């Protein structure tokens, strides 16, 4: 089976390991993975900030790159949600483009959900570890499949998945929100980090993973500033290391 | 206004007691809501859908429902007044009070009277206004404003209330029971001596001309039955078509707001006192406020702002509201619903910044009993706010709007071309050491690095 992997701009810019791991794991599960050439960004930063024409300009570029009718897999729930649920809103008045948008919408999948659907062999070769998996807002409330990451991790023999009291609460990133309302955004991150810190000291939590790098980047940036040292990894990277 | 917001946010974030009060109270409310829906959790999606459809249907038929309501109320002997603006609503109330020679006024809980700042207006014009909802009573005693649409004193803990009662009422007690009893005793005599009672309306039934009032303390029933004059206030979207529409909305409201299956009191007001009746007000008036809602109605997406039944679940589950509290918004309606409603009723100039103060986490959308697409509406308001039309050059520079627009244009220029994008990535990865330096000189990114480390490209 052929699939497209849409790298996402955040992975391109800041953490190329995510797309490498996402690709490797899909290949191990028997797929032929084509990393999409010409993919840049889904357009979400501009769309969420209200700059629709800039968002459209970039989104148009994404619409033009899918030559074959293969599934498109994104290692990020928020980018997947943008293409699956928000392109129809962004292009709602564009007669000529709308059909293309619908076609794309049907083909978009979030990485962890697609990966799990392949029933991969989850034979854990790693050492015993306690992890927390941050379920992103887009994973919970838009793609509605954050449980997938939990169940993937639960199937690993040496991994103990820990939970937080306010697990479903936003980490405070929110794109330009983190810049425009930096203090609120930071306060939200701190709430999450307070709960994480308690798990670190009381339960020996030693890794933060998640299926959305943007949230992880935000939490990691804040934790580094606060001097809290805990390794942060995209779910795909974490899984690849252990399988 | 944005400056005030920034200042309020800073103050709130630096107040650990306030934040702990909010966290504790909101966690409890969110939990209560969850428990309240446990018995119908399988039906919940269908009920939300039904409630949404019912409210939307009312909005579609609003003009005819409102005229039907007016006709029915008139037949029943309730006077109906129409107010385009808050100022008009206040003036109408004033003139009714003067005609009835009413000076002392007892009030039930009503968010619309907060929207029009009725208390301030009436007090400026020589009336004596007493809030009778326990929370609102405490807010008034403290000389503050409600911070939540259902739980006005959510920002205070019991100890703070006890201190306030000691100062203002010379009452010394500490338990919730003692404090409530003191307020009850104080208010009881006020109900009997008031010249007029004011209230809000939760649902106005067009078919029967019935004003429904949902409450827990019985003060609403006192306000609307003991004084000789009752004035009710509602904004025009409160109308529903049929009486049979009410049970579903009522149930969704109670479960979402306070986690109750049903409130302690549910009042149905349909007539003033009749000849053979021994109680009830002789005169009943209803003031219906527009305040720009008729304009909001014309847009198919923005219209959905008016589906709201004011349960407050969106704020109880909002991580921004939990952190900064209700007062920071400086708005009659705070929280997620306030972020979309206030800019539309009171103007983008005054409240446009609220639409940006959301991470779009959609926790509010998840719990809204009438499925208001709050995040979609936020996005639309943000899109409207990016327009530079009607701004002077100075405003464009000063507000940072021009800079933001240019930044996104530049972003689109790079990210819309794979070639330029590749070049951009090459540069980024070739000179990562330069990034911290660059960040220092980029005003937007500096907001990131103030509290967070910058992620180094790997």
């Amino acid at each position: 089976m052929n699939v497209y992997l849409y790298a996402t701009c955040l992975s391109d810019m800041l953490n190329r390991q995510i797309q490498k791991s996402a690709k490797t794991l899909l290949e191990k599960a028997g797929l032929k993975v084509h990393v999409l050439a010409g993919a840049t960004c889904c357009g979400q930063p501009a769309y969420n900030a209200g700059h629709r024409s800039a968002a459209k300009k970039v989104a148009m570029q994404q619409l033009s790159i899918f030559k074959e009718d293969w599934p498109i897999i994104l290692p990020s729930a928020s980018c997947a949600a943008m293409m699956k649920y928000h392109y129809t809103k962004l292009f709602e008045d564009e007669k000529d483009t709308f059909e293309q948008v619908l076609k794309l919408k049907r083909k978009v999948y979030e990485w962890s959900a697609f990966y799990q659907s392949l029933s991969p062999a989850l034979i854990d070769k790693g050492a015993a570890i306690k992890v927390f998996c941050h379920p992103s807002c887009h994973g919970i409330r838009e793609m509605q499949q954050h449980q997938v990451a939990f169940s993937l991790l639960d199937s690993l023999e040496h991994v103990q998945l820990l939970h937080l009291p306010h697990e479903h609460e936003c980490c405070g990133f929110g794109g330009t929100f983190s810049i425009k309302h930096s203090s609120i955004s930071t306060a939200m991150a701190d709430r999450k980090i307070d709960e994480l810190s308690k798990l670190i000291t009381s339960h020996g939590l030693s890794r933060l993973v998640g299926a959305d790098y943007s949230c992880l980047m935000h939490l990691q940036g804040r934790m580094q500033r606060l001097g809290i040292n805990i390794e942060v990894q995209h779910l795909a990277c974490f899984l690849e290391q252990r399988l | 206004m944005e400056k005030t917001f920034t200042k309020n946010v800073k103050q709130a974030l630096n107040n650990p007691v306030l934040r702990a009060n909010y966290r504790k109270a909101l966690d409890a409310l969110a939990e209560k809501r969850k428990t309240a829906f446990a018995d119908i959790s399988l039906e919940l999606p269908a009920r939300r859908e039904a409630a949404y459809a019912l409210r939307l249907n009312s909005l579609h038929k609003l003009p005819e429902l409102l005229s039907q309501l007016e006709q029915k109320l008139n037949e029943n002997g309730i006077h109906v007044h129409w107010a385009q603006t808050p100022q008009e609503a206040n003036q109408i109330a004033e003139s009714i009070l003067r005609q009835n020679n009413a000076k002392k006024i007892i009030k039930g809980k009503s968010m619309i009277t907060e929207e029009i700042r009725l208390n301030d207006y009436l007090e400026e014009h020589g009336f004596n206004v007493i809030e009778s909802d326990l929370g609102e009573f405490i807010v008034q005693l403290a000389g503050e404003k409600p911070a939540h649409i259902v739980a006005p004193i959510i920002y205070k803990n019991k100890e703070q209330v006890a201190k306030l009662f000691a100062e203002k009422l010379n009452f010394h007690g500490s338990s919730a029971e003692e404090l409530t009893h003191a307020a009850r005793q104080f208010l009881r005599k006020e109900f009997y001596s008031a010249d007029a009672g004011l209230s809000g309306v939760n649902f106005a039934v067009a078919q029967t001309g019935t004003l429904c009032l949902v409450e827990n303390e019985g003060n609403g029933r006192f306000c609307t039955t003991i004084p000789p004059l009752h004035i009710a206030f509602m904004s025009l979207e409160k109308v529903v078509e049929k009486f049979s529409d009410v049970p579903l909305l009522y149930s969704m409201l109670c479960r979402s707001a306070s986690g109750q299956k049903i409130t302690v009191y549910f009042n149905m007001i349909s007539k003033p006192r009749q000849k053979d009746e021994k109680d009830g007000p002789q005169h009943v008036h209803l003031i219906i406020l527009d305040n720009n809602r008729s304009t909001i109605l014309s847009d198919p997406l923005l219209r959905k702002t008016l589906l709201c039944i004011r349960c407050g679940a969106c704020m109880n589950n909002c991580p921004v509201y939990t952190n900064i509290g209700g007062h920071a918004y400086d708005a009659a309606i705070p929280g997620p619903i306030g972020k979309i409603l206030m800019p539309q009723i009171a103007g983008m100039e005054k409240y446009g910044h609220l639409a940006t103060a959301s991470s779009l986490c959609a926790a509010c959308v998840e719990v809204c009993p009438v499925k208001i697409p709050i995040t979609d509406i936020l996005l639309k308001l943000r899109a409207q706010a990016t327009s530079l039309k009607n701004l002077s050059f100075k405003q464009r520079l000063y507000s940072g709007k021009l800079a933001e627009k240019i930044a996104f244009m530049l972003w689109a220029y790079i990210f819309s071309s794979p070639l330029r994008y590749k070049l951009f990535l090459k540069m980024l990865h070739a000179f990562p050491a330069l990034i911290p330096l660059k960040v220092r000189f980029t005003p937007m990114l500096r907001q990131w690095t103030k509290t967070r480390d910058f992620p180094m490209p790997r």
Side-chain angles (χ1 to χ4, degrees):
Chain A
M1 184 186 184
N2 287 292
V3 295
Y4 282 126
L5 182 73
Y6 187 100
T8 77
C9 66
L10 225 45
S11 167
D12 276 346
M13 291 190 293
L14 300 174
N15 191 337
R16 283 174 289 189
Q17 188 56 45
I18 297 170
Q19 47 190 290
K20 284 180 200 154
S21 297
K23 182 169 184 264
T24 309
L25 286 176
L26 292 174
E27 282 169 348
K28 270 193 183 170
L31 300 186
K32 197 160 188 306
V33 182
H34 306 260
V35 177
L36 259 170
T40 59
C41 166
C42 64
Q44 191 180 190
Y47 176 73
N48 281 359
H51 294 273
R52 297 217 169 169
S53 61
K56 261 186 205 171
K57 197 171 165 186
V58 172
M60 278 300 275
Q61 161 62 23
Q62 317 315 309
L63 289 173
S64 69
I65 52 179
F66 308 103
K67 302 281 181 278
E68 305 294 334
D69 196 28
W70 299 331
I72 300 148
I73 301 164
L74 298 97
S76 154
S78 79
C79 313
M82 177 69 193
M83 289 186 167
K84 207 167 179 70
Y85 300 117
H86 293 280
Y87 274 15
T88 46
K89 294 170 193 165
L90 183 60
F91 290 100
E92 65 187 355
D93 300 323
E94 314 270 331
K95 266 189 249 164
D96 303 330
T97 326
F98 202 73
E99 213 174 333
Q100 233 175 315
V101 169
L102 284 182
K103 227 166 136 185
L104 173 66
K105 178 186 166 85
R106 284 193 287 269
K107 293 189 289 186
V108 165
Y109 298 89
E110 187 272 324
W111 180 84
S112 64
F114 197 88
Y115 179 63
Q116 197 203 32
S117 74
L118 302 168
S119 312
L122 298 169
I123 298 153
D124 189 3
K125 293 178 197 143
I129 189 172
K130 289 175 180 172
V131 304
F132 170 69
C133 179
H134 172 67
S136 71
C137 296
H138 286 90
I140 302 170
R141 288 176 277 266
E142 297 222 311
M143 299 307 286
Q144 301 191 359
Q145 50 192 211
H146 70 286
Q147 301 283 356
V148 166
F150 292 169
S151 86
L152 281 170
L153 291 167
D154 268 335
S155 335
L156 296 179
E157 201 185 334
H158 309 298
V159 173
Q160 191 188 341
L161 183 60
L162 302 177
H163 292 277
L164 294 185
H166 296 89
E167 184 161 276
H168 284 205
E169 203 166 276
C170 176
C171 74
F173 175 57
T176 50
F177 169 73
S178 63
I179 290 165
K180 282 186 183 166
H181 296 279
S182 173
S183 58
I184 306 177
S185 161
T186 305
M188 286 160 73
D190 284 352
R191 282 247 158 110
K192 185 95 16 203
I193 293 167
D194 276 351
E195 293 189 350
L196 281 171
S197 302
K198 279 182 197 140
L199 280 190
I200 295 172
T201 47
S202 66
H203 288 78
L205 174 78
S206 65
R207 196 155 311 171
L208 167 63
V209 300
D212 262 83
Y213 182 62
S214 50
C215 321
L216 297 180
M217 171 188 80
H218 185 233
L219 290 171
Q220 187 173 28
R222 181 60 184 160
M223 286 196 294
Q224 274 175 9
R225 182 61 59 90
L226 294 171
I228 296 166
N229 292 313
I230 174 175
E231 205 179 322
V232 179
Q233 251 182 335
H234 189 276
L235 180 69
C237 306
F238 179 76
L239 292 176
E240 196 212 347
Q241 271 185 358
R242 305 188 69 92
L243 298 176
Chain B
M1 280 308 282
E2 179 152 14
K3 265 193 185 153
T4 320
F5 181 66
T6 313
K7 205 183 88 204
N8 294 345
V9 165
K10 200 172 162 192
Q11 245 173 30
L13 291 178
N14 288 326
N15 185 342
V17 178
L18 183 85
R19 293 178 69 195
N21 289 351
Y22 271 105
R23 187 53 152 193
K24 196 176 156 204
L26 293 170
D27 274 357
L29 280 171
E31 197 51 44
K32 274 185 181 172
R33 176 194 165 272
K34 249 191 235 159
T35 318
F37 279 113
D39 64 331
I40 53 161
S41 62
L42 289 177
E43 290 169 47
L44 182 55
R47 288 210 194 183
R48 290 176 77 213
E49 187 62 37
Y52 161 80
L54 218 152
R55 287 290 301 130
L56 193 61
N57 187 45
S58 298
L59 293 182
H60 287 322
K61 292 183 177 177
L62 204 65
E64 55 179 282
L65 292 185
L66 284 170
S67 64
Q68 195 188 350
L69 178 72
E70 182 180 29
Q71 195 195 332
K72 278 283 164 200
L73 288 170
N74 282 336
E75 282 171 24
N76 295 347
I78 294 178
H79 305 278
V80 178
H81 310 264
W82 301 90
Q84 201 73 47
T85 61
Q87 179 69 7
E88 265 180 53
N90 287 331
Q91 284 166 350
I92 293 167
E94 183 196 358
S95 80
I96 300 170
L97 290 168
R98 290 211 190 282
Q99 278 162 24
N100 288 272
N101 212 12
K103 299 221 169 54
K104 184 173 180 177
I105 296 143
I106 190 111
K107 250 187 92 204
K109 191 168 161 24
S110 146
M111 287 321 293
I112 184 177
T113 58
E114 291 298 328
E115 182 182 327
I116 62 176
R117 294 181 166 272
L118 178 74
N119 289 17
D120 293 346
Y121 180 92
L122 290 181
E123 273 156 17
E124 274 163 33
H125 289 77
F127 296 90
N128 177 16
V129 186
I130 302 148
E131 292 283 354
S132 68
D133 171 88
L134 180 59
E136 295 285 351
F137 172 74
I138 293 167
V139 166
Q140 194 182 30
L141 216 55
E144 291 163 356
K145 294 256 171 253
H148 187 283
I149 63 172
V150 175
I153 50 157
I154 193 141
Y155 60 104
K156 283 195 190 298
N157 58 34
K158 205 170 57 192
E159 291 68 36
Q160 291 168 323
V161 175
K163 204 171 153 235
L164 183 71
F165 275 34
E167 275 168 29
K168 304 272 174 168
L169 300 176
N170 197 25
F171 174 80
H172 301 275
S174 58
S175 75
E177 288 75 22
E178 284 173 320
L179 296 166
T180 311
H181 190 71
R184 180 187 159 104
Q185 275 195 318
F186 177 88
L187 285 169
R188 191 53 61 104
K189 46 185 199 300
E190 306 290 356
F191 286 120
Y192 290 109
S193 57
D195 305 313
L198 305 190
S199 79
V201 172
N202 290 93
F203 313 108
V205 186
Q207 178 194 38
T208 52
T210 311
L211 307 178
C212 304
L213 194 58
V214 178
E215 53 142 350
N216 273 318
E217 297 170 17
N219 66 306
R221 185 161 298 174
F222 265 130
C223 288
T224 56
T225 50
I226 298 182
L229 168 67
H230 169 211
I231 307 175
F233 292 79
M234 67 176 245
S235 47
L236 42 79
E237 80 274 20
K238 293 278 166 184
V239 67
V240 296
E241 188 177 7
K242 299 185 296 290
F243 214 92
S244 56
D245 293 347
V246 175
L248 175 66
L249 295 175
Y250 176 48
S251 152
M252 294 302 272
L253 172 62
C254 301
R255 287 174 195 251
S256 305
S258 52
Q260 292 168 289
K261 300 217 164 90
I262 189 171
T263 46
V264 181
Y265 291 86
F266 181 77
N267 306 288
M268 291 172 277
I269 298 152
S270 52
K271 281 176 187 150
R273 183 192 296 194
Q274 303 297 293
K275 265 186 199 142
D276 52 344
E277 288 175 348
K278 292 202 172 85
D279 58 7
Q282 278 96 345
H283 307 285
V284 181
H285 294 258
L286 173 68
I287 300 175
I288 302 177
L289 175 73
D290 181 338
N291 201 15
N292 214 35
R293 286 170 174 83
S294 47
T295 315
I296 302 174
L297 267 175
S298 60
D299 182 284
L301 177 63
L302 299 181
R303 175 186 302 153
K304 293 182 182 175
T305 311
L306 303 178
L307 295 170
C308 180
I309 54 173
R310 301 285 186 272
C311 70
C314 60
M315 41 200 93
N316 299 345
N317 288 276
C318 175
V320 173
Y321 180 90
T322 314
N323 270 296
I324 66 173
H327 287 140
Y329 296 78
D330 194 25
I333 310 277
I337 184 66
K339 281 179 200 168
I340 57 171
L341 181 68
M342 296 310 294
Q344 297 187 73
I345 60 174
M348 288 296 272
E349 306 74 31
K350 205 170 170 198
Y351 286 115
H353 60 278
L354 288 186
T356 64
S358 162
S359 67
L360 301 173
C361 81
C364 49
V365 180
E366 192 180 25
V367 295
C368 177
V370 290
K371 295 179 83 168
I372 302 174
I374 296 175
T375 43
D376 286 342
I377 296 173
L378 282 171
L379 286 172
K380 179 144 189 173
L381 295 175
R382 285 183 186 186
Q384 285 178 355
T386 58
S387 162
L388 298 177
K389 272 183 220 157
N390 308 322
L391 287 184
S392 69
F393 186 66
K394 222 174 150 184
Q395 281 171 319
R396 288 177 194 187
L397 278 183
Y398 184 69
S399 66
K401 280 190 177 179
L402 187 64
E404 189 182 314
K405 191 151 216 161
I406 292 170
F408 273 111
M409 275 164 70
L410 187 67
W411 169 85
Y413 177 74
I414 297 169
F415 282 67
S416 61
S417 143
L419 189 71
R420 288 194 285 269
Y421 179 67
K422 263 194 196 121
L423 226 71
F424 165 76
L425 288 180
K426 273 230 163 72
M427 274 170 57
L428 186 78
H429 291 287
F431 311 107
L434 282 177
I435 287 171
L437 203 67
K438 272 187 268 171
V439 167
R440 248 175 275 160
F441 294 105
T442 317
M444 272 175 91
L445 291 182
R446 216 164 40 206
Q447 287 299 320
W448 174 279
T449 49
K450 233 168 45 179
T451 55
R452 294 154 283 214
D453 281 5
F454 194 79
M456 293 305 285
R458 284 188 273 161

